[in-house]
Amino acid sequence: MSVADLTTSPVTSTYTKTSSRLHSSQLSLSSNRLSVHFSRSPRPIPRAQNFKITCSVNQVPAPVAVQTEEAKNKSECFGVFCQTYDLKAEEETKSWKKLINVAVSGAAGMISNHLLFKLASGEVFGPDQPVALKLLGSERSFQALEGVAMELEDSLYPLLREVSIGINPYEVFEDAEWALLIGAKPRGPGMERAGLLDINGQIFAEQGKALNAVASRNVKVIVVGNPCNTNALICLKNAPNIPAKNFHALTRLDENRAKCQLALKAGVFYDKVSNMTIWGNHSTTQVPDFLNARINGSPVKEVIKDHKWLEEEFTEKVQKRGGVLIQKWGRSSAASTAVSIADAMKSLVTPTPEGDWFSTGVYTNGNPYGIAQDIVFSMPCRSKGDGDYELVKDITFDEYLRKRIAKSEAELLAEKRCVAHLTGEGVAFCDLPEDTMLPGEM
Ligand code: LMR
């Protein structure tokens, strides 16, 4: 992705495709080049002329031009975020951390519209962590993407140092340290589930390749676009140079939903519910684990004596919550999904509280629960807060839990066979169980 080169003469009309960024480390290395510091001084104006420059410090009028094919494929800084900042000087007083690059696909969509403002506000990474947002949209959504960037400008977030927008993942994902893959096609009327797996799988295969080519070697990837577990598997298979462990499928929304229902039933506030695992697929086969979850530190089954409710009503309510919500809203959950993405990220960048854990869909190789290898399955994890995680070992299973987990596992193995052409594992064969659906499919 290109942002303007930092030179001693910050105002220039020359656009260079060097990748100078506002990393504090780079700034100190090249401090001689920055001997003339202008706080929030203007960045060079890109020659690619497909953006309106709004709110720019020098009020440079944007040249109007026809968007060329080449320009369309570029990812460019947006408006006020094309200005240079004197991070070095600010660091002396503020001790900012090194700028973190966060790429978001589906950035013009509803989920992103909630999430981006959380990321920019410091809610996820903390008040001393400057953020660069790299927003991936499509040709169709490009104007909306500009609208999103304009709203980010107008929000004056002190931590938001760069915003760039583009439609080419090979540009947008460059040096990404986090990739939040939200954009996916919703299942249309009459579309077979196998068709959805194929269409979205192709998107995630391409994005996996792009991450493999240009992202940070330790990029953390959270796949949100459905069917997210199998999309995450496709993505990681297409990114062999990135550790498979770094790929997640979002099941935190399901965890949050489960906590909410247990708290309601027990008559406690949701912060009293802990150790909540969602096992398996983000689909109606997912298993909200009430055997290991706790309320006020006690096993759920000791607090909620109505075990029939736990096995039937509670489980189904969590599994189908997304669908009920679609019926009410006329569209998928957006705000609560964004909150859960932020929660999932926070769980990886802050140490997990003693004795607790969180759920995330991760690659199963080496899991201690006997779950099939080589799929992406939601399991209980803990983190030291370094972006990494480990699977929790002390988990109890009973027959009910094992049986439910096996059903979700079978579904994911079937999904995997269905996308073999996208994971490099041969010819696809689709024998998906008919009675399982995405949470939104009722
Ligand atoms: C949700 O759980 O709310 C969504 O994944 C539902 C859907 O199918 O979009």
Side-chain angles (χ1 to χ4, degrees), residues 226 253 257 282 322 326 332-333 438-440:
N226 278 321
L253 177 57
R257 287 168 172 168
H282 176 66
I326 288 173
S332 281
S333 56
L438 291 172

Side-chain angles (χ1 to χ4, degrees), residues 329-365:
W329 254 121
R331 56 143 178 87
S332 281
S333 56
S336 57
T337 303
V339 168
S340 72
I341 298 169
D343 287 345
M345 297 173 79
K346 279 188 268 183
S347 286
L348 291 168
V349 298
T350 41
T352 310
E354 190 62 38
D356 203 359
W357 61 70
F358 56 90
S359 300
T360 177
V362 288
Y363 195 51
T364 48
N365 278 13

Side-chain angles (χ1 to χ4, degrees), residues 143-328:
Q143 278 210 358
L145 202 55
E146 288 183 292
V148 170
M150 286 166 67
E151 286 209 80
L152 285 166
E153 277 187 316
D154 295 345
S155 300
L156 307 182
Y157 287 116
L159 289 168
L160 186 59
R161 302 298 166 78
E162 292 182 17
V163 174
S164 49
I165 60 179
I167 62 171
N168 179 353
Y170 286 84
E171 287 271 336
V172 176
F173 292 167
E174 199 179 323
D175 295 334
E177 292 158 283
W178 286 83
L180 311 174
L181 305 185
I182 299 170
K185 283 215 162 36
R187 182 162 165 179
M191 189 190 284
E192 293 289 323
R193 189 175 165 79
L196 183 72
L197 276 165
D198 183 52
I199 289 178
N200 281 331
Q202 289 184 39
I203 296 172
F204 287 89
E206 185 61 18
Q207 293 186 354
K209 287 187 181 109
L211 288 167
N212 198 51
V214 299
S216 152
R217 297 303 78 186
N218 199 25
V219 59
K220 306 290 187 281
V221 184
I222 300 184
V223 177
V224 179
N226 278 321
C228 61
N229 294 57
T230 298
N231 288 340
L233 182 73
I234 293 168
C235 200
L236 74 86
K237 292 281 180 180
N238 283 279
N241 297 335
I242 295 166
K245 203 185 176 198
N246 290 16
F247 290 78
H248 299 255
L250 185 80
T251 54
R252 184 52 168 268
L253 177 57
D254 307 301
E255 177 186 324
N256 291 353
R257 287 168 172 168
K259 280 182 167 166
C260 175
Q261 293 307 316
L262 290 178
L264 260 172
K265 183 75 175 175
V268 298
F269 202 60
Y270 5 88
D271 64 341
K272 301 294 180 289
V273 185
S274 64
N275 305 81
M276 186 72 241
T277 312
I278 299 293
W279 295 94
N281 201 359
H282 176 66
S283 79
T284 53
T285 65
Q286 67 177 267
V287 191
D289 175 355
F290 52 81
L291 185 64
N292 290 285
R294 293 180 166 258
I295 296 174
N296 273 324
S298 301
V300 165
K301 284 176 99 172
E302 283 176 18
V303 179
I304 298 173
K305 305 278 193 231
D306 186 350
H307 296 175
K308 192 165 155 28
W309 177 86
L310 287 170
E311 288 185 9
E312 293 172 10
E313 218 174 305
F314 162 71
T315 299
E316 190 173 319
K317 210 167 203 159
V318 177
Q319 290 169 331
K320 297 192 170 166
R321 183 76 162 180
V324 174
L325 217 128
I326 288 173
Q327 281 175 356
K328 302 272 181 205

Side-chain angles (χ1 to χ4, degrees), residues 8 16 70 99 106 156 158 253 298 368 388 405 416:
T8 46
T16 50
E70 192 201 357
L99 187 75
L156 307 182
L253 177 57
S298 301
D388 207 353
I405 287 176
K416 183 183 159 190

